[in-house]
């Protein structure tokens, strides 16, 4: 009896002890760590930007189920909007620059921090595949313009005309005024960025775009730039961007989101803080009237988040629990504010 009472007392004290310690640690790094460790999120998780992310997620998930590597799943996933002429912001059918040329940017990164990227690539429908080839088959991380194209051709890619009749018409219409004031959420903000955490908890990401419509010939945005349009650190998390590339480059957007997660901000908090920073740095800037930026993020625990400057941005999320669906992204400014 005595023994039993002593045992119960010990257990009770033990319980008090743990909760007291947790109370003392509350808000401290240690308490947050305890909370993070205890939260179980079923992996894999895929998150992609915009509505075309749904079809991309679907394909990437299928590939993962069939045993493809995460990078191959990303390539196949974002390859869907790249090949879709109805998607006017990525790959084939992308809106051209002001000279009527479709120029493409893409990058990819794995959990070992290997990356490959192409920028200002013309005539090749799937820049994400070329980016993966840069990662796999070259000693470099980035190839641009004619060099990127020559590399693609040497890898067996075929040159194609990527300017669809619809995009040509839109360009001709634009030429009449030739004014570069991108329309928020329509003309310059539809890059597909995809982040994946696999079953083993490893992170990867990819990003592909035709960039801002009616840009100057030779302009490269954030999307192919590791640290701006995409970044990940497999110890911490991954982040990717969409929106006005100039603003994302100025602030090293995706790298900063990852650094904020390293400081134990949640993916949502990290995305929000960077959007706030971009807003503060641009509120008196000439780009402000058409500035839109949005981020998606995924941490090592499989928690995801997003945030944008203006309403209208959304993302597609796929996990085991809820399947593939669109999620609304919280914004700093709602539609009636702009
Ligand atoms: N970030 C891309 C760029 O500036 C545009 C986009 O997200 O659609 O090129």
């Amino acid at each position: 009896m005595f023994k039993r009472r002593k045992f119960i007392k010990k257990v009770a004290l033990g319980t008090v002890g743990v909760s007291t310690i947790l109370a003392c640690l509350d808000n401290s790094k240690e308490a947050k760590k305890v909370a993070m460790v205890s939260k179980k999120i079923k992996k894999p998780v895929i998150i992609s930007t915009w509505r075309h992310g749904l079809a991309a997620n679907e394909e990437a998930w299928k590939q993962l189920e069939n045993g493809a590597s995460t990078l191959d799943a990303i390539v196949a996933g974002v390859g869907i909007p790249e090949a879709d002429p109805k998607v006017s912001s990525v790959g084939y059918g992308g809106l051209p620059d002001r000279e009527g040329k479709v120029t493409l940017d893409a990058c990819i990164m794995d959990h070992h921090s290997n990356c490959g990227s192409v920028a200002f690539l013309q005539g090749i429908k799937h820049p994400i595949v070329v980016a993966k080839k840069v990662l796999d088959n070259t000693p470099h991380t980035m190839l641009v313009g004619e060099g990127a194209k020559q590399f693609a051709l040497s890898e067996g890619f075929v040159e194609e005309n990527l300017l669809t009749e619809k995009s040509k018409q839109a360009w001709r219409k634009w030429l009449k005024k030739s004014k570069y004031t991108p329309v928020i959420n329509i003309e310059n903000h539809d890059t597909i960025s995809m982040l994946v955490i696999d079953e083993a908890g490893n992170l990867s990401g990819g990003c592909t775009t035709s960039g801002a419509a009616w840009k100057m010939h030779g302009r490269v945005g954030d999307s192919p730039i590791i640290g701006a349009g995409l970044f990940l650190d497999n110890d911490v998390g991954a982040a990717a961007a969409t929106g006005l590339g100039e603003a994302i480059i100025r602030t090293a957007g995706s790298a900063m989101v990852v650094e904020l997660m390293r400081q134990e901000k949640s993916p949502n908090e990290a995305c929000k803080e960077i959007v706030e920073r971009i807003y503060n740095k641009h509120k008196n800037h000439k780009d402000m009237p058409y500035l839109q930026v949005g981020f998606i993020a995924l941490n090592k625990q499989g928690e995801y988040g997003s945030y944008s400057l203006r309403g209208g941005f959304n993302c597609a999320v796929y996990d085991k629990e809820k399947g593939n669906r669109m999620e609304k992204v919280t914004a700093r400014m709602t539609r009636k504010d702009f």
Side-chain angles (χ1 to χ4, degrees):
M1 182 69 177
F2 171 76
K3 264 192 187 160
R4 194 169 165 259
R5 220 180 292 137
K6 207 171 161 191
F7 172 74
I8 290 169
K9 205 173 158 198
K10 233 179 171 177
V11 170
L13 271 177
T15 312
V16 170
V18 170
S19 55
T20 310
I21 290 166
L22 280 181
C24 295
L25 289 174
D26 197 28
N27 278 331
S28 70
K29 283 183 180 175
E30 286 78 359
K32 279 185 195 154
K33 261 184 204 155
V34 171
M36 281 172 104
V37 169
S38 63
K39 196 166 177 180
K40 282 252 179 303
I41 294 180
K42 283 214 181 99
K43 296 158 196 152
V45 179
I46 305 179
I47 178 166
S48 298
T49 52
W50 301 106
R51 180 154 287 279
H52 46 226
L54 270 184
N57 284 0
E58 200 65 47
E59 181 61 31
W61 190 271
K62 199 172 89 196
Q63 295 284 333
L64 287 178
E65 277 187 333
N66 290 342
S69 74
T70 315
L71 285 197
D72 285 339
I74 291 172
V75 165
V78 302
I80 301 287
E82 272 184 342
D84 185 348
K86 292 190 294 303
V87 178
S88 62
S89 52
V90 181
Y92 177 57
L95 290 170
D97 64 17
R98 57 191 66 173
E99 291 180 19
K101 306 257 171 36
V102 179
T103 75
L104 305 177
D105 303 330
C107 72
I108 193 154
M109 189 166 190
D110 75 9
H111 64 290
H112 295 300
S113 297
N114 294 315
C115 39
S117 157
V118 286
F120 190 48
L121 177 65
Q122 294 177 66
I124 308 288
K125 198 191 252 175
H126 287 292
I128 194 71
V129 186
V130 189
K132 169 93 172 13
K133 296 266 181 205
V134 171
L135 186 160
D136 288 336
N137 299 347
T138 79
H140 307 303
T141 54
M142 187 171 197
L143 293 177
V144 307
E146 194 50 33
K149 185 168 162 182
Q150 289 311 322
F151 168 68
L153 296 176
S154 76
E155 289 280 340
F157 289 78
V158 179
E159 188 167 357
E160 293 174 74
N161 175 20
L162 304 180
L163 187 66
T164 57
E165 204 38 52
K166 198 169 163 227
S167 293
K168 199 193 279 181
Q169 296 298 331
W171 169 59
R172 289 218 175 105
K173 194 169 163 212
W174 178 82
L175 277 180
K176 288 186 188 144
K177 286 193 185 155
S178 297
K179 233 174 138 222
Y180 187 69
T181 46
V183 183
I184 289 157
N185 288 339
I186 298 176
E187 279 182 346
N188 69 337
H189 306 300
D190 283 358
T191 294
I192 175 137
S193 301
M194 176 183 281
L195 305 174
V196 180
I197 186 160
D198 66 16
E199 230 155 336
N202 288 320
L203 293 153
S204 315
C207 195
T208 176
T209 190
S210 52
W214 333 130
K215 60 193 173 186
M216 288 176 70
H217 189 59
R219 179 263 190 191
V220 170
D222 60 306
S223 306
I225 298 179
I226 299 294
L230 173 73
F231 190 68
L232 68 90
D233 180 329
N234 201 48
D235 296 333
V236 179
T242 181
L244 190 67
E246 285 73 9
I248 298 161
I249 291 172
R250 284 181 197 118
T251 49
S254 296
M256 290 303 148
V257 172
V258 171
E259 287 313 297
L260 289 167
M261 290 194 284
R262 195 191 303 280
Q263 292 164 28
E264 294 174 13
K265 300 255 153 104
S266 71
N268 265 329
E269 289 166 342
C271 293
K272 182 170 189 287
E273 189 165 329
I274 269 311
V275 168
E276 287 297 331
R277 190 177 302 169
I278 291 176
Y279 171 74
N280 285 325
K281 298 226 177 273
H282 288 83
K283 54 184 176 214
N284 300 315
H285 196 280
K286 63 176 172 33
D287 288 351
M288 193 57 210
Y290 52 80
L291 179 65
Q292 167 68 312
V293 288
F295 289 91
I296 54 174
L298 192 57
N299 71 13
K300 193 66 185 161
Q301 285 69 41
E303 297 167 309
Y304 62 87
S306 58
Y307 198 80
S308 67
L309 178 63
R310 301 180 198 249
F313 174 44
N314 48 20
C315 61
V317 183
Y318 202 149
D319 59 20
K320 270 188 191 146
E321 216 175 304
K322 295 191 195 151
N324 198 13
R325 73 273 179 188
M326 290 308 296
E327 291 208 359
K328 222 176 144 237
V329 173
T330 310
R332 185 184 203 283
M333 297 153 86
T334 57
R335 278 183 187 275
K336 61 177 175 13
D337 298 325
F338 59 92

